[in-house]
Amino acid sequence: MEQCKKTIFSMFFSLAFLLSSPLISITTTTASPSPSPSIPAVFAFGDSTIDPGNNKGLTGVSAIFSGDHPPYGKDFPNHIPTGRFSNGKLATDYLVSNLGIKELLPAYRDPALTDADLATGVSFASSGSGIDNATNAIAGIASTARQLKYFDEAMQRIEGHVGKNRSQELVRDSLFVFSTGFNDVLYNQVLGTIDIHQSTSYNATLPYQDFLVQTLGSYVQSLYTKGARKFGVVGLPPLGCIPLLVTVDSMLPSSHMLQRVCVDRLNQYAQDFNTKLQAHLTSLQQSLPESKIAYFGIYDSIMDMVTYPSKYGFLQTLQGCCGTGLFEVGPLCIQGMPTCLDASKYVFWDLAHPTQAAYLVIANQFNFTSASV
């Protein structure tokens, strides 16, 4: 059974590979609001959930990790595919808008990014990345550790723009967001494409979940030593309700065969991980004077949307808007592919990523000023 699951997952992954060559109550405004005095900038690190286009233009194998083509961006301003894996905005876009910083959180690798843009925050996130360096080696994209080095580069530019003293104040007052871990779990625990014992950083004496949690904590600590004090860390979503994993499970011999229902064992895995993450973040905050670390339970947000869709105006919960909604993503979700008529009625845009409407719900439920571990 286990080998059967891995074979089916690998089939989906390989198919995509072959075709890949080429948190807060929000009011969206058109004008750029004045910066918030308490949080002047947001810097984000992680995967496709908060990548606004850092993987844009990737070719070959890595093209699967870029959403820089239609129908992505279908409902984004001017209907532009920016590299965001959604039909529109991400939760981090709504976050900076609500904080009064700016309308969107741009990609660090955007060639049009100015020093002034940089000083109010960017996302370093890279689709396909993870906490474990072995995860990132699969796609050759920017690991979370590499994203931290990009932050060092960014701070040199910011210091040149606003001066050393102001740049230090900026780091101290800014919010640093992490949203990562899904790909580590998908590739290692589900797909089985990573030999974790070959990871250059994995300590085999630790359970893999513990290794991921502690490594993520070390990234927070690294930023703390550079002056950061405010952090927002996102937990794992309900893995068993992700359209791709629902699709694969429905193809396996089981009591739910040919039925689209959430997979309990995968959801339990995510809950176990999140429990460990919260405990570690609590300990970490206690050991880092003046730090504030907010844990964001995206698991509960998405599960509530899936369980009570009408509460949010959704009609479809376990199927993506793009194509059949069963397994399309990246190079399988392309121009000419049929999409649902109204993405705002769907929780998911493609096989794994929420719609703009769902990201808005997620952002509405995150309030850093009152949240903590």
Side-chain angles (χ1 to χ4, degrees), residues 187-243:
Y187 299 148
N188 173 59
Q189 301 295 307
V190 183
L191 284 173
T193 54
I194 295 174
D195 181 355
I196 58 177
H197 299 288
Q198 297 302 314
S199 171
T200 56
S201 55
Y202 175 55
N203 182 348
T205 63
L206 285 175
Y208 192 61
Q209 281 192 348
D210 292 8
F211 161 69
L212 293 178
V213 165
Q214 292 184 23
T215 303
L216 181 53
S218 73
Y219 296 149
V220 172
Q221 288 178 294
S222 175
L223 287 170
Y224 179 86
T225 63
K226 296 169 185 176
R229 292 296 180 268
K230 300 175 182 178
F231 305 92
V233 181
V234 181
L236 286 180
L239 301 173
C241 299
I242 302 299

Side-chain angles (χ1 to χ4, degrees), residues 16-354:
F17 166 81
L18 291 172
L19 295 177
S20 65
S21 301
L23 300 151
I24 294 185
S25 181
I26 310 299
T27 300
T28 303
T29 60
T30 54
S32 297
S34 58
S36 165
S38 57
I39 300 179
V42 172
F43 296 97
F45 307 82
D47 55 29
S48 56
T49 55
I50 55 173
D51 177 3
N54 283 306
N55 286 10
K56 192 172 182 178
L58 291 181
T59 59
V61 178
S62 299
I64 188 176
F65 300 103
S66 180
D68 59 356
H69 54 271
Y72 289 103
K74 175 176 174 287
D75 299 306
F76 196 77
N78 299 320
H79 314 292
I80 298 173
T82 60
R84 289 168 171 81
F85 271 90
S86 186
N87 61 306
K89 297 179 181 180
L90 306 178
T92 40
D93 294 317
Y94 288 117
L95 174 60
V96 294
S97 175
N98 182 72
L99 289 173
I101 300 173
K102 50 189 173 184
E103 187 66 20
L104 303 168
L105 189 66
Y108 173 64
R109 296 184 62 189
D110 183 346
L113 188 74
T114 67
D115 291 344
D117 292 332
L118 196 55
T120 53
V122 293
S123 175
F124 301 94
S126 181
S127 300
S129 69
I131 299 169
D132 184 358
N133 286 333
T135 301
N136 310 285
I138 291 180
I141 38 78
S143 66
T144 309
R146 170 59 64 182
Q147 293 171 34
L148 292 176
K149 293 185 182 298
Y150 288 157
F151 172 72
D152 292 338
E153 295 176 1
M155 286 313 301
Q156 292 180 4
R157 284 180 59 183
I158 292 173
E159 185 174 325
H161 179 63
V162 301
K164 185 174 183 179
N165 290 340
R166 178 67 189 109
S167 66
Q168 291 175 339
E169 293 175 358
L170 183 70
V171 173
R172 181 196 65 205
D173 296 334
S174 295
L175 175 61
F176 294 80
V177 176
F178 285 90
S179 179
T180 184
F182 172 79
N183 292 316
D184 299 293
V185 173
L186 179 66
Y187 299 148
N188 173 59
Q189 301 295 307
V190 183
L191 284 173
T193 54
I194 295 174
D195 181 355
I196 58 177
H197 299 288
Q198 297 302 314
S199 171
T200 56
S201 55
Y202 175 55
N203 182 348
T205 63
L206 285 175
Y208 192 61
Q209 281 192 348
D210 292 8
F211 161 69
L212 293 178
V213 165
Q214 292 184 23
T215 303
L216 181 53
S218 73
Y219 296 149
V220 172
Q221 288 178 294
S222 175
L223 287 170
Y224 179 86
T225 63
K226 296 169 185 176
R229 292 296 180 268
K230 300 175 182 178
F231 305 92
V233 181
V234 181
L236 286 180
L239 301 173
C241 299
I242 302 299
L244 171 63
L245 304 186
V246 171
T247 296
V248 173
D249 191 71
S250 70
M251 298 169 65
L252 299 174
S254 71
S255 58
H256 297 307
M257 188 174 184
L258 302 181
Q259 299 180 51
R260 296 195 64 78
V261 295
C262 292
V263 186
D264 291 340
R265 66 181 181 280
L266 295 179
N267 282 349
Q268 187 60 57
Y269 183 97
Q271 289 178 300
D272 292 344
F273 177 92
N274 291 339
T275 298
K276 291 182 177 182
L277 178 60
Q278 285 180 273
H280 186 68
L281 293 177
T282 298
S283 176
L284 195 60
Q285 180 171 268
Q286 293 171 349
S287 69
L288 302 177
E290 300 181 359
S291 69
K292 180 170 183 180
I293 306 175
Y295 167 80
F296 178 44
I298 193 173
Y299 183 101
D300 293 334
S301 294
I302 293 181
M303 183 57 76
D304 202 53
M305 285 185 264
V306 169
T307 306
Y308 307 105
S310 61
K311 177 178 171 182
Y312 303 95
F314 294 121
L315 297 176
Q316 180 55 258
T317 60
L318 301 180
Q319 202 164 308
C321 173
C322 185
T324 64
L326 306 181
F327 56 82
E328 289 87 357
V329 70
L332 294 178
C333 179
I334 56 176
Q335 190 167 20
M337 177 72 67
T339 59
C340 64
L341 294 178
D342 186 356
S344 70
K345 301 300 182 183
Y346 280 61
V347 174
F348 292 96
W349 168 251
D350 59 19
L351 67 74
H353 304 98

